[in-house]
Amino acid sequence: MVISFRPKLFDTLSGYGRGHFTQDFSAGITVGVLALPLAMAFAIASGMSPTAGIWTAIVAGFLIAMLGGSKVQIGGPTGAFIPIIYAIVADYGVQNLLIATMMSGVMLFAMGAFRLGNMIRFIPVSVVIGFTNGIAIVIFISQIKDFLGLSIEKMPGEFFGKMEALLGAAHTIHLPTVAVSVASLVVLLTWNRVATRVAWMRRLPGPLAVLLIATATNAVVQFPIDTIGSRFGGIPQQVPPFGLPALSLGTLGKLIAPALTIALLGAIESLLSARVADNQIDDRHDPNQELMAQGIANVAAPLFGGFAATGAIARTATNIRSGGHTPVAGIIHALVLLAVVLALAPLASHIPLATLSAIVVVVSVNMGEWHAFAWKELMRYSRQYRIILLGTFFVTVVFDLTLAVELGMVLASLFFIYRMSDLTRVERIALEEYYGVEALSRPDGTPRILAYRVFGSLFFGAANKLENLMLMQDGHPDALILDMEKVINIDTTGLDMLQALHRALEKRGAQLILCDLNAQPASIVQRSGFGETIGREHLAGNITDALLRAQRCGGRDAEVSYA
């Protein structure tokens, strides 16, 4: 297999000039300053240090832009990863999280190399909405501790443990923290709303604006609240040491499932983000190249202390609105983050954790498609859709994202099988009515030739539709014709049922004739050898030809007359 590796950057450099660079430079600065508070907030919410979030955005953001399959994709840590990362850190520790992230990177690269990018789109929208809204709820719950300033030494990773810990610590609400959280929330929501009408405010993203206001205020007033400096000791003003995380072969096998979860969510979110971007810039991304870039980024980020990264929908949309139209904007965004860390890292010590919590709360509310849960909206769709959406949502919130996606896919597959089985049917053809055939019956009135038209797909979920023909409830004919013109597909189980029908007829001295086979059914009949088994004379081009062949079955001399 030849791996096709061609980053989108190569396609955009031809004819690239000063004007393009000016637009990309402006967009890169805008997205870079937006990414700073989000990277820190997502990292802290995930149980990691803000430094890890920033370096994830720098390293992964640079590689995703430079090697990706989208012109405008911005990569980095995202809110969707929060419950997954937090659970892995709680269960396995930070070092094993880094290993799981690198393993997910290898998986992502393999998915792109084997050209599986388009298969991600096979995940039903009901599953996507279910786990997206579920993740939003999990993120919201994870922020209650810092938003209210609760005294909880370590938050459990699973739902019931979290709820028990939160309820048990409800009496420890810290009023100064609540005041800063609420004030930050109000400022952020107000800024976002007013910025739609005031041009200069649009140049400063809401999360960065509230971060600057809260940090400056706290530096002057010195609120008695937790800050990045008090909890994490600040952000180092240097490049972190490059090195492999400590590897324990004993836990490597246990990390396969978490790594697969990171890979699947990263693939889904990055390709969803790229597809949304395509609609805005009238372009088409390369999903396989994008997955390979995501894979490389997730292998590289842990080498600098970073963790899982993917395409970020909000930052990608900001990049587009700011004028970015080539991967250069994404590269500049990473370099802006690097410059900020190296120049202004000491100032981060005054950033209130309550403000970062408020930012994440707004992100969690905005990421959910809550209108999908409205009663009128749910009733517009089938019961199967509602079961999949609500089931995926419930399992995501209460149990685990991996289990939720698995459950959603299994339910979607089962309902699809049921639906396809329901659409597959077998109907008797009234030969006397259509062809005026007098010789189709014996003197005693029993049918000598029977014909049926099959509709749909003869697959493992619908193969039993031929069982009634094997019971010969309509009599014991000399020949049975199956009109397959409306059959779009036959799998091996469907083929096995045809073979069983042929054997049942042969025991009674009767013949099976297939007519009007489409390309796929004809191919499997020939490749399996079944065509040779029943004989080429029993494969007809149409129902008329099949009747003529049925008339000759068993050396019969009766003639067929057509009206």
Side-chain angles (χ1 to χ4, degrees), residues 44-47 82-92 137-146 150-169 396-400:
I44 294 171
S46 302
I82 290 175
I84 299 173
I85 302 304
Y86 190 92
I88 296 174
V89 171
D91 294 339
Y92 302 102
I137 294 294
V138 174
I139 294 172
F140 185 88
I141 293 173
S142 73
Q143 294 308 297
I144 295 176
K145 171 182 175 292
D146 285 336
L150 301 179
S151 297
I152 301 175
E153 183 176 350
K154 184 178 180 181
M155 279 286 285
E158 50 93 19
F159 174 78
F160 295 107
K162 285 180 183 177
M163 300 309 297
E164 183 179 358
L166 290 172
L167 291 174
T396 299
V397 173
V398 177
F399 296 104
D400 177 71

XYZ file of all heavy atoms in Angstrom, residues 44-47 82-92 137-146 150-169 396-400:
383
model
N -6.798 22.645 32.983
C -7.125 22.587 34.408
C -8.375 21.741 34.625
O -8.438 20.920 35.551
C -7.320 24.008 34.967
C -5.991 24.759 34.924
C -7.865 23.965 36.391
C -6.114 26.237 35.258
N -9.384 21.921 33.763
C -10.611 21.129 33.885
C -10.348 19.648 33.648
O -11.083 18.783 34.139
C -11.660 21.632 32.892
N -9.293 19.334 32.897
C -8.954 17.939 32.600
C -8.064 17.310 33.667
O -7.665 16.149 33.537
C -8.239 17.855 31.244
O -9.043 18.377 30.212
N -7.728 18.079 34.708
C -6.855 17.553 35.744
C -5.384 17.717 35.428
O -4.528 17.105 36.080
N -12.253 16.871 27.897
C -12.153 17.060 29.351
C -12.546 15.811 30.140
O -11.774 15.333 30.985
C -12.974 18.283 29.799
C -12.291 19.570 29.307
C -13.133 18.314 31.319
C -13.077 20.837 29.596
N -13.765 15.243 29.927
C -14.125 14.070 30.742
C -13.223 12.860 30.498
O -12.947 12.095 31.419
C -15.578 13.781 30.327
C -15.754 14.450 29.013
C -14.846 15.641 29.029
N -12.753 12.702 29.258
C -11.892 11.562 28.947
C -10.537 11.720 29.625
O -10.047 10.800 30.300
C -11.703 11.437 27.420
C -13.042 11.220 26.729
C -10.740 10.307 27.085
C -12.969 11.251 25.239
N -9.914 12.897 29.454
C -8.593 13.138 30.033
C -8.653 13.058 31.549
O -7.778 12.456 32.196
C -8.049 14.507 29.592
C -7.979 14.594 28.056
C -6.673 14.757 30.195
C -7.169 13.520 27.413
N -9.688 13.650 32.132
C -9.805 13.648 33.588
C -9.908 12.219 34.121
O -9.269 11.865 35.115
C -11.028 14.457 34.023
C -11.088 14.693 35.509
C -10.522 15.832 36.067
C -11.693 13.779 36.364
C -10.561 16.061 37.434
C -11.731 13.988 37.733
C -11.166 15.133 38.259
O -11.188 15.339 39.619
N -10.723 11.396 33.449
C -10.895 10.016 33.903
C -9.595 9.219 33.774
O -9.248 8.427 34.659
C -12.006 9.346 33.099
N -8.851 9.441 32.688
C -7.581 8.712 32.500
C -6.568 9.133 33.548
O -5.864 8.295 34.124
C -7.036 8.945 31.076
C -7.994 8.366 30.029
C -5.654 8.305 30.920
C -7.607 8.673 28.607
N -6.501 10.442 33.820
C -5.570 10.924 34.841
C -5.937 10.350 36.206
O -5.059 9.919 36.979
C -5.562 12.466 34.890
C -4.769 12.966 36.092
C -4.966 13.037 33.612
N -7.244 10.316 36.509
C -7.684 9.802 37.808
C -7.397 8.312 37.947
O -7.042 7.833 39.032
C -9.180 10.076 37.982
N -7.550 7.564 36.857
C -7.399 6.104 36.926
C -5.960 5.627 36.725
O -5.546 4.630 37.330
C -8.297 5.437 35.884
C -9.775 5.644 36.181
O -10.101 5.934 37.347
O -10.597 5.514 35.253
N -5.200 6.320 35.876
C -3.878 5.810 35.482
C -2.717 6.767 35.775
O -1.559 6.340 35.723
C -3.869 5.481 33.986
C -4.920 4.474 33.583
C -6.096 4.876 32.959
C -4.749 3.112 33.826
C -7.071 3.959 32.585
C -5.708 2.184 33.454
C -6.870 2.616 32.839
O -7.826 1.702 32.468
N -22.668 18.263 29.451
C -23.135 18.125 30.831
C -21.997 17.701 31.752
O -21.835 18.223 32.863
C -24.290 17.114 30.916
C -25.523 17.637 30.170
C -24.639 16.807 32.368
C -26.138 18.868 30.788
N -21.186 16.756 31.300
C -20.056 16.287 32.110
C -19.082 17.436 32.374
O -18.568 17.597 33.494
C -19.347 15.108 31.412
C -18.085 14.714 32.166
C -20.277 13.908 31.312
N -18.813 18.239 31.343
C -17.909 19.392 31.508
C -18.493 20.380 32.518
O -17.794 20.892 33.402
C -17.666 20.083 30.157
C -16.894 19.157 29.211
C -16.909 21.385 30.348
C -16.779 19.696 27.809
N -19.779 20.642 32.391
C -20.442 21.575 33.309
C -20.328 21.092 34.755
O -19.995 21.868 35.661
C -21.912 21.729 32.915
C -22.660 22.750 33.725
C -22.673 24.083 33.349
C -23.341 22.377 34.879
C -23.355 25.024 34.095
C -24.018 23.312 35.636
C -24.032 24.643 35.247
N -20.584 19.807 34.974
C -20.489 19.240 36.327
C -19.062 19.356 36.860
O -18.838 19.654 38.032
C -20.961 17.772 36.325
C -22.462 17.695 36.030
C -20.658 17.095 37.662
C -22.977 16.278 35.844
N -18.093 19.156 35.965
C -16.692 19.195 36.402
C -16.256 20.584 36.866
O -15.256 20.714 37.577
C -15.781 18.717 35.263
O -15.700 19.692 34.234
N -16.993 21.621 36.468
C -16.618 22.989 36.828
C -17.285 23.502 38.098
O -16.964 24.600 38.567
C -16.951 23.926 35.661
C -16.125 23.682 34.418
C -14.645 23.660 34.724
O -14.055 24.638 35.153
N -14.027 22.499 34.517
N -18.209 22.733 38.640
C -18.934 23.191 39.837
C -17.966 23.434 40.990
O -18.103 24.410 41.743
C -20.017 22.171 40.218
C -21.091 22.109 39.115
C -20.649 22.528 41.558
C -22.155 21.072 39.357
N -16.982 22.566 41.138
C -16.031 22.689 42.250
C -15.300 24.027 42.210
O -15.296 24.786 43.186
C -15.023 21.541 42.195
C -13.853 21.667 43.176
C -12.896 20.506 43.016
C -11.655 20.684 43.895
N -10.809 21.795 43.428
N -14.665 24.346 41.087
C -13.903 25.595 40.991
C -14.809 26.816 40.894
O -14.438 27.906 41.336
C -12.960 25.558 39.788
C -11.748 24.673 40.043
O -11.392 24.475 41.221
O -11.160 24.165 39.065
N -15.492 24.983 46.148
C -15.728 23.915 47.122
C -14.414 23.291 47.574
O -13.462 23.186 46.799
C -16.635 22.838 46.514
C -18.016 23.307 46.039
C -18.781 22.132 45.449
C -18.801 23.947 47.174
N -14.383 22.858 48.814
C -13.182 22.220 49.373
C -13.243 20.717 49.130
O -13.747 19.957 49.962
C -13.083 22.515 50.883
O -12.940 23.890 51.114
N -12.768 20.302 47.975
C -12.701 18.887 47.620
C -11.266 18.598 47.223
O -10.746 19.186 46.266
C -13.657 18.550 46.458
C -15.104 18.901 46.830
C -13.553 17.076 46.090
C -16.085 18.714 45.696
N -10.630 17.724 47.950
C -9.214 17.464 47.711
C -8.979 16.882 46.323
O -8.087 17.309 45.596
C -8.668 16.516 48.780
C -7.170 16.263 48.644
C -6.620 15.408 49.772
O -7.363 15.181 50.751
O -5.469 14.968 49.677
N -9.797 15.890 45.942
C -9.660 15.274 44.631
C -11.023 14.820 44.137
O -11.702 14.048 44.802
C -8.706 14.075 44.673
C -8.454 13.458 43.314
C -7.478 12.306 43.395
C -7.238 11.693 42.018
N -6.303 10.542 42.070
N -11.406 15.327 42.977
C -12.702 14.958 42.400
C -12.623 13.555 41.808
O -11.704 13.256 41.039
C -13.096 15.950 41.313
C -13.696 17.235 41.838
S -15.386 17.033 42.450
C -16.277 16.904 40.900
N -13.588 12.697 42.149
C -13.619 11.354 41.529
C -13.830 11.456 40.031
O -14.339 12.457 39.513
C -14.810 10.681 42.222
C -15.047 11.475 43.469
C -14.646 12.873 43.133
N -13.471 10.408 39.325
C -13.599 10.418 37.881
C -14.973 10.008 37.389
O -15.399 10.414 36.309
N -15.701 9.208 38.177
C -16.995 8.712 37.690
C -18.157 9.540 38.237
O -18.035 10.232 39.246
C -17.160 7.220 38.032
C -16.882 6.848 39.464
C -18.138 6.854 40.311
O -19.230 6.792 39.727
O -18.029 6.949 41.532
N -19.308 9.465 37.586
C -20.436 10.357 37.811
C -20.946 10.323 39.244
O -21.071 11.362 39.904
C -21.562 10.003 36.831
C -22.831 10.773 37.056
C -22.941 12.086 36.616
C -23.911 10.196 37.710
C -24.112 12.806 36.827
C -25.086 10.911 37.920
C -25.180 12.216 37.475
N -21.260 9.138 39.741
C -21.869 9.051 41.064
C -20.893 9.514 42.145
O -21.290 10.137 43.132
C -22.345 7.618 41.326
C -23.451 7.180 40.411
C -23.205 6.277 39.392
C -24.724 7.694 40.552
C -24.212 5.880 38.533
C -25.751 7.306 39.700
C -25.497 6.394 38.690
N -19.617 9.219 41.965
C -18.610 9.703 42.906
C -18.522 11.222 42.902
O -18.377 11.857 43.958
N -18.613 11.822 41.701
C -18.583 13.281 41.612
C -19.776 13.899 42.332
O -19.620 14.863 43.101
C -18.614 13.715 40.138
C -17.314 13.531 39.385
C -17.484 14.000 37.951
C -16.216 13.764 37.153
N -16.395 14.141 35.731
N -20.954 13.359 42.067
C -22.156 13.920 42.681
C -22.106 13.783 44.191
O -22.501 14.703 44.932
C -23.401 13.235 42.115
C -23.561 13.395 40.608
S -23.451 15.116 40.036
C -24.863 15.843 40.871
N -21.623 12.656 44.675
C -21.501 12.456 46.116
C -20.514 13.446 46.722
O -20.764 14.032 47.790
C -21.060 11.016 46.400
C -20.984 10.686 47.891
C -20.562 9.247 48.139
O -20.368 8.497 47.150
O -20.433 8.871 49.320
N -19.378 13.661 46.031
C -18.376 14.595 46.538
C -18.906 16.024 46.537
O -18.674 16.787 47.496
C -17.109 14.497 45.694
N -19.614 16.406 45.489
C -20.154 17.763 45.405
C -21.206 18.016 46.477
O -21.212 19.069 47.131
C -20.748 18.003 44.013
C -19.750 18.095 42.850
C -20.474 18.135 41.520
C -18.857 19.323 43.007
N -22.093 17.055 46.659
C -23.126 17.213 47.692
C -22.501 17.226 49.083
O -22.931 17.989 49.963
C -24.152 16.078 47.573
C -25.050 16.117 46.329
C -25.921 14.871 46.250
C -25.925 17.368 46.348
N -21.491 16.390 49.292
C -20.841 16.337 50.594
C -20.090 17.610 50.939
O -19.901 17.938 52.119
N -19.648 18.345 49.897
C -18.875 19.577 50.129
C -19.704 20.833 49.905
O -19.155 21.949 49.861
C -17.654 19.595 49.207
N -23.351 8.589 28.288
C -22.206 9.506 28.309
C -22.108 10.216 29.653
O -21.026 10.322 30.238
C -22.330 10.552 27.191
O -22.350 9.891 25.928
C -21.156 11.522 27.219
N -23.239 10.699 30.147
C -23.246 11.458 31.399
C -22.976 10.554 32.600
O -22.159 10.865 33.464
C -24.590 12.194 31.581
C -24.665 12.848 32.957
C -24.770 13.238 30.494
N -23.652 9.409 32.650
C -23.638 8.582 33.859
C -22.477 7.590 33.872
O -21.922 7.300 34.935
C -24.984 7.845 34.012
C -24.969 6.916 35.223
C -26.112 8.859 34.142
N -22.079 7.101 32.721
C -21.078 6.045 32.710
C -19.786 6.472 32.002
O -18.860 6.944 32.640
C -21.657 4.773 32.090
C -22.784 4.198 32.892
C -24.096 4.346 32.468
C -22.554 3.533 34.085
C -25.155 3.837 33.212
C -23.598 3.016 34.837
C -24.904 3.171 34.394
N -19.757 6.352 30.676
C -18.471 6.529 29.997
C -18.717 6.847 28.538
O -19.626 6.297 27.912
C -17.661 5.229 30.137
C -16.349 5.307 29.395
O -15.461 6.040 29.839
O -16.228 4.635 28.359
